[in-house]
């Protein structure tokens, strides 16, 4: 695929915007792709609705907004309800069954991964939930390598947290293995 239109959605405090920024930076700085990222969030910093759009392309990006994502991440029921209608036919929905109950939609692939539960079981700290999700997305879209994401994380977080973030990234990446050919 030449162009990936992604929407990350959830609530403030889940790291949705941070994950989108990291993915766009990894694509642009380490994968030689064109990438743009924009964000929208509600009035409340924590708990309010958040949405971050990412476009990654092998060619120049002329319009920076995502109108119909081919991949939607919804980490809350509200994010799912608000954004599911814009998902492109044939698109992919990534969500966590702990927070999102999905409905059937014709011509879309729902991927529910118990990311929060896995993070809490394996790492015990919810702060890396977004990085786990990012690992899953990296596996599904197959355009940004986990190594590139880690290079960005190395510039953004204290060294003492790198191992935990690496573990979360690997956890999400491994969880999404059955779906790695979903976005061909």
């Amino acid at each position: 695929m030449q162009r990936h239109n992604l929407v990350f959605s959830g609530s403030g405090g889940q790291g949705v915007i941070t994950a989108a920024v990291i993915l766009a930076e990894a694509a642009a700085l380490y994968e030689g792709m064109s990438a743009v990222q924009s964000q929208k969030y509600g009035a409340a910093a924590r708990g309010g609705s958040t949405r971050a759009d990412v476009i990654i392309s092998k060619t120049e990006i002329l319009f920076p907004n995502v109108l119909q994502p081919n991949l939607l991440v919804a980490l809350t029921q509200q994010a799912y309800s608000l954004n599911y209608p814009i998902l492109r036919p044939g698109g992919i929905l990534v969500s966590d069954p702990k927070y999102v109950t999905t409905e059937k939609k014709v011509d879309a692939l729902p991927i529910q991964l118990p990311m929060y539960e896995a993070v809490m079981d394996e790492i015990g700290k919810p702060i890396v939930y977004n990085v786990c999700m990012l690992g899953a997305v990296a596996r599904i879209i197959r355009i940004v390598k986990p190594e590139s994401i880690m290079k960005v994380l190395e510039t953004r977080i204290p060294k003492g947290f790198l191992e935990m973030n690496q573990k979360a990234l690997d956890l999400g990446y491994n969880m999404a293995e059955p779906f790695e050919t979903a976005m061909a």
Side-chain angles (χ1 to χ4, degrees):
M1 179 175 279
Q2 288 286 330
R3 180 182 175 114
H4 293 275
N5 295 306
L6 312 157
V7 170
F8 293 78
S9 60
S11 67
Q14 287 185 307
V16 170
I17 292 171
T18 301
V21 169
I22 290 167
L23 184 65
E25 281 187 22
L29 297 176
Y30 301 107
E31 300 291 345
M33 308 290 284
S34 295
V36 295
Q37 186 277 323
S38 62
Q39 56 210 17
K40 301 171 189 170
Y41 42 90
R46 294 238 179 242
S49 169
T50 60
R51 174 179 158 170
D53 295 0
V54 180
I55 300 172
I56 300 171
S57 179
K58 294 180 181 179
T59 59
E60 185 179 11
I61 299 168
L62 301 174
F63 182 70
N65 295 334
V66 175
L67 301 176
Q68 278 194 308
N70 47 329
L71 185 133
L72 168 65
V73 174
L75 297 182
T76 65
Q77 193 67 40
Q78 179 185 21
Y80 169 79
S81 297
L82 286 172
N83 296 298
Y84 199 70
I86 66 169
L87 185 60
R88 177 184 306 256
I92 297 172
L93 168 72
V94 177
S95 62
D96 190 322
K98 177 175 176 60
Y99 298 111
V100 177
T101 302
T102 60
E103 301 168 5
K104 275 191 161 183
K105 180 175 179 177
V106 176
D107 201 18
L109 174 64
I111 298 175
Q112 286 209 294
L113 300 171
M115 297 172 285
Y116 185 83
E117 181 181 308
V119 164
M120 294 309 291
D121 288 349
E122 298 291 323
I123 301 167
K125 298 193 185 293
I127 195 167
V128 292
Y129 179 48
N130 65 331
V131 176
C132 178
M133 174 270 293
L134 201 50
V137 168
R139 186 85 180 237
I140 293 165
I141 66 172
R142 295 171 309 156
I143 199 166
V144 177
K145 296 181 198 82
E147 300 83 41
S148 299
I149 293 170
M150 278 309 298
K151 286 179 184 176
V152 173
L153 287 170
E154 289 167 4
T155 68
R156 293 186 155 270
I157 61 174
K159 288 185 190 234
F161 292 96
L162 285 175
E163 185 178 328
M164 179 174 45
N165 278 269
Q166 178 71 64
K167 192 171 182 179
L169 186 68
D170 293 344
L171 185 61
Y173 192 80
N174 292 334
M175 288 178 80
E177 181 180 10
F179 307 101
E180 71 181 326
T181 59
M183 189 175 266

